[in-house]
């Protein structure tokens, strides 16, 4: 298993990541505290898609004492957005609504340029504005959403990035990120830039409040170094809440843009979705007769995971689908057909909102 901000490979063992990264599992008690404040438990929390955290309890302690927090998350615009990226963003939107908090959203066109030898800066920058349409299409509140485009907004970020960079040694950066002698300097400096939005609220408003970062666990190494230096700069340590990876449609592995045939992009048309889902790996048997007799295995089925993560909100209906699958009452073709319909419906709506977002995108810019 390899899980870094730039590569996720092999079967991800989430228990092991909690131990190795030194994060905390999300307990029943913490879920109860969240629901005390939000009035309900979000699907992604009750299904344990968000499974780990750092200092979420501290953020709630402060919130209950009247100290707000800000949300921070982001996107590395290396290509089009896939529906795996939407998982933490959907949860972030829910937190924004329930807690009435601000969101800082970072588009890292710089990161995607320095980490890929082939990338051109003009392309990653262009993609950042394109990817922002997906964010806006999800319905984030305009008055509480501030998008940062690293290259365009570097003047706003640079002083804090320098304060951060000065306090992180090369040996810490190597130990955290595995940098080699061959790693370029842009890449080595970049983690200081990703730290900045944790602290930018103070610069903009004068308020010192913690940041809470919803993201998949691959981003955690960034927060380890940021948390170490935050108190030295007079800030709260940023808190995190980590989600699991939506798998790709193949055998194992996370959904990844580098494997386009097993990823559903938000810009895919219905025919493309149909083809990809139709070719998906499932937990089905070799023949219909065998499946009717022995049932299938939802645990290893990529199609089932899509219902679990995004496309079946009703817990009872999800349980029923699982039961039917295990007992041979439903066939892979049926699930693929249902899933295709749901994805196509979701994307058709999303794509309309995405187009509409072209006229409002400027209003979400941090420098509006
Ligand atoms: P990026 O563009 O790789 O990913 C964007 C967000 O999506 C999460 N993610 C996934 N979640 C569920 N299932 C998947 N298959 C999946 N693949 C990716 C990522 O964890 C991330 O939350 N360096 C960052 C950009 C960034 C950022 C941040 C991300 C800058 N500041 C703060 C999170 C929080 C990046 O390249 O993300």
């Amino acid at each position: 298993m390899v899980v870094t901000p730039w590569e996720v490979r092999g079967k991800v063992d989430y228990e092991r990541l909690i131990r190795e990264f030194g994060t905390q599992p999300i307990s029943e008690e913490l879920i109860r505290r969240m629901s005390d404040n939000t009035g309900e438990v979000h699907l992604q929390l009750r299904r344990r898609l968000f499974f780990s955290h750092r200092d979420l309890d501290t953020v709630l302690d402060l919130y209950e004492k009247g100290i707000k927090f800000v949300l921070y998350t982001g996107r590395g615009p290396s290509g089009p957005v896939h529906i795996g990226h939407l998982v933490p963003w959907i949860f972030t939107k829910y937190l924004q609504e329930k807690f009435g908090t601000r969101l800082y959203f970072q588009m890292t066109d710089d990161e995607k340029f320095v980490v890929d030898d082939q990338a051109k800066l003009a392309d990653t920058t262009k993609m950042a504005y394109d990817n922002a349409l997906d964010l806006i299409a999800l319905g984030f509140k305009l008055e509480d959403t501030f998008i940062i485009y690293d290259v365009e907004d570097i003047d706003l970020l640079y002083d804090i990035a320098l304060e951060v960079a000065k306090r992180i040694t090369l040996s810490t950066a190597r130990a955290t990120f595995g940098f080699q002698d061959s790693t370029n300097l842009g890449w080595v400096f970049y983690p200081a830039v990703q730290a900045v939005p944790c602290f930018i609220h103070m610069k903009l408003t004068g308020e010192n409040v913690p940041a809470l970062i919803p993201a998949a666990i691959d981003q955690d190494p960034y927060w380890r170094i940021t948390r170490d230096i935050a108190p030295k700069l007079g800030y709260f340590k940023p808190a995190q809440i980590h989600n699991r990876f939506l798998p790709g449609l193949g055998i194992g592995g996370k959904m990844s843009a580098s494997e386009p045939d097993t990823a559903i992009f938000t810009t895919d048309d219905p025919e493309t979705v149909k083809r990809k889902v139709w070719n998906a790996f499932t937990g089905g048997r070799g023949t219909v007769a065998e499946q009717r007799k022995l049932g299938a295995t939802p645990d290893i089925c990529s199609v089932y995971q899509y219902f679990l993560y995004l496309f079946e909100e009703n817990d009872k209906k999800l349980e029923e689908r699982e039961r039917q699958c295990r007992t041979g009452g439903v066939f892979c073709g049926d699930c693929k057909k249902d899933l295709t319909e749901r994805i196509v419906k979701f994307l058709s709506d999303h794509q309309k909102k995405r187009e509409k977002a072209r006229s409002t995108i400027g209003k979400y810019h941090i420098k509006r």
Side-chain angles (χ1 to χ4, degrees), residues 47-234:
R47 294 188 187 164
R48 302 303 176 111
L49 305 179
F50 275 87
F51 70 104
S52 149
H53 77 103
R54 292 179 188 270
D55 277 351
L56 178 61
D57 44 353
T58 311
V59 164
L60 290 177
D61 287 345
L62 291 167
Y63 183 80
E64 285 161 9
K65 284 190 201 128
I67 300 175
K68 276 209 160 184
F69 59 90
V70 294
L71 292 161
Y72 162 37
T73 196
R75 161 74 182 141
S78 51
V81 165
H82 62 60
I83 59 174
H85 298 130
L86 303 185
V87 170
W89 301 353
I90 288 170
F91 191 66
T92 303
K93 180 181 164 240
Y94 158 83
L95 293 175
Q96 183 185 64
E97 275 166 16
K98 293 292 174 185
F99 288 94
T101 54
R102 257 193 196 203
L103 165 66
Y104 293 101
F105 191 99
Q106 185 177 36
M107 287 291 180
T108 61
D109 45 352
D110 50 351
E111 175 191 23
K112 292 296 144 178
F113 172 63
V114 294
V115 305
D116 176 357
D117 284 348
Q118 308 305 319
K120 296 200 170 57
L121 189 54
D123 292 341
T124 59
T125 296
K126 187 160 170 261
M127 202 44 86
Y129 298 93
D130 175 84
N131 288 182
L133 301 175
D134 287 293
L135 184 79
I136 296 165
L138 292 180
F140 283 91
K141 269 198 198 137
L142 173 60
E143 63 275 24
D144 273 337
T145 305
F146 296 80
I147 304 178
I148 301 162
Y149 303 93
D150 281 352
V151 172
E152 183 178 348
D153 298 328
I154 194 64
D155 55 334
L156 196 60
L157 313 179
Y158 197 48
D159 54 350
I160 303 177
L162 285 175
E163 295 286 355
V164 170
K166 188 173 175 176
R167 289 167 179 83
I168 298 168
T169 64
L170 188 54
S171 81
T172 301
R174 268 179 190 274
T176 309
F177 296 105
F179 293 146
Q180 307 288 316
D181 285 352
S182 57
T183 307
N184 72 64
L185 280 183
W187 194 342
V188 174
F189 180 75
Y190 170 74
V193 179
Q194 184 152 328
V196 175
C198 298
F199 310 133
I200 201 157
H201 186 71
M202 170 111 128
K203 175 170 171 179
L204 296 178
T205 65
E207 279 174 2
N208 194 6
V209 298
L212 172 63
I213 309 170
I217 190 135
D218 59 331
Q219 298 297 310
D220 188 71
Y222 284 117
W223 320 128
R224 261 175 259 157
I225 53 164
T226 309
R227 285 168 59 81
D228 281 351
I229 55 100
K232 295 180 196 159
L233 294 173

